[in-house]
Amino acid sequence: MTETLAALHTVRVELGTRSYDIEIGAGLLDVAGRYIAPLVRQPRVFVLTDGTVGGFYAGQLEKSLAEADLQMRLKAVSPGEGSKSWAVLGEVLDWLLSEGAGRDDVLVALGGGIVGDLTGLAASLMKRGMTFVQIPTTLLAQVDSSVGGKTAVNAAQGKNLIGSFYQPALVLADTKLLSTLPERERLAGYAEIVKYALIDDPNFFDWLELNGKRVVDLDQDALAEAVAISCRAKARIVSQDERESGVRALLNLGHTFGHALEAANGFQSSLLHGEAVAAGMTLALHYSARQGLMQAEDAARAEALLEKAGLVTQLKRLPGGPYPSDALVEAMKQDKKGRAGRVPLILARGLGKAFIQPDADLADVGEFLQEELQRS
């Protein structure tokens, strides 16, 4: 069997009978079969990937599975947000059924957040639930979307509106896989790492100010540490609130603004999810400062951390624009918890002091966005 370094970190997501481990370290794909084999009842594994990721890593995964006496059955979807759709979900389910997959089979997501969300939702629907495993290949997926069981596809009305809560049985976060990730995708994932610091970990924020460049440059020690801290933060919150009825909403810091930006952009590749979140977090912090909730200097400090890494935070410089305030407000009205011109926002009383504002006034938010469009 191919040798590899042991996982540098193991993070446990405690959810009773649905608890699972996140293994984090370099070289895990080479021994993925060893980790997956205990979950398998038949000597086969179904794998969903996209054309790009499959070209890099499907062969490596197949070899690892074969070393565990498991056969791989592979389907690749087209790369990009267009595959996170009801139509492609149907194609995946048809494929699984035609291959004779059952509830006792394992479905593996080999890819980024799009593949992971699509795979998780397909697994939740397949004969009312089959086991699935996440092998996230982007930094964003390793620290966010592969953990916590939120699965979804997009609708014309907005992002992630068709979905379910369905936990994986295992997450293998091989940090070595990020070496093939374009810099832009790497930075998009870094935005989600910063999010955990801004929610409730000011010490992690200080650490990122010192070590952020090492993370985005893929220094393996710094990268594994940042991924592990992020996953522990998410695991802690998910364990308290699996179905987002309370504290888990904090994980949406920057996302209400970010999803509106993506919707206004038509979910095109000119604006990546992490890029939208970086701008969205900046907007949330500046709005908090405008409301007198936090110091403007702290909001500027967070913006500087994101900009130093190479992320764009200002609306008028954001790729894929323009982003008129009325279009953003209209998109925010689609928020799943919004009502009567008010939406929940995650705001902050300082760095690492995020909180849930349940009923932000969209008219006031619209005025704020107009101001932000003028900010230099």
Side-chain angles (χ1 to χ4, degrees), residues 304-317:
L305 178 65
L306 293 164
E307 288 272 353
K308 183 179 178 181
L311 287 155
V312 175
T313 59
Q314 292 184 0
L315 280 181
K316 66 182 181 183
R317 295 194 294 116

Side-chain angles (χ1 to χ4, degrees), residues 6 49 70 72 87 100 111 144 147 173 186 211 220 257 260 263 279 292-293 296 299 312:
T49 188
L70 300 173
M72 183 175 81
D144 186 63
V147 180
R186 211 158 63 229
N211 296 284
Q220 286 297 314
F257 285 114
L293 297 167
V312 175

Side-chain angles (χ1 to χ4, degrees), residues 286-309:
H286 280 296
Y287 186 66
S288 297
R290 183 179 185 266
Q291 299 294 97
L293 297 167
M294 69 182 292
Q295 296 294 319
E297 292 81 3
D298 283 342
R301 187 178 164 197
E303 183 174 17
L305 178 65
L306 293 164
E307 288 272 353
K308 183 179 178 181

Side-chain angles (χ1 to χ4, degrees), residues 27 69 80 110 270:
D69 298 319
L110 177 66
S270 54

Side-chain angles (χ1 to χ4, degrees), residues 29-45:
L29 187 63
D30 287 331
V31 290
R34 184 190 304 172
Y35 284 95
I36 293 171
L39 304 173
V40 173
R41 296 183 184 178
Q42 301 188 62
R44 65 187 186 188
V45 173

Side-chain angles (χ1 to χ4, degrees), residues 353-364:
K353 297 179 180 179
F355 72 98
I356 302 166
Q357 169 58 266
D359 59 350
D361 182 355
L362 275 177
D364 186 55

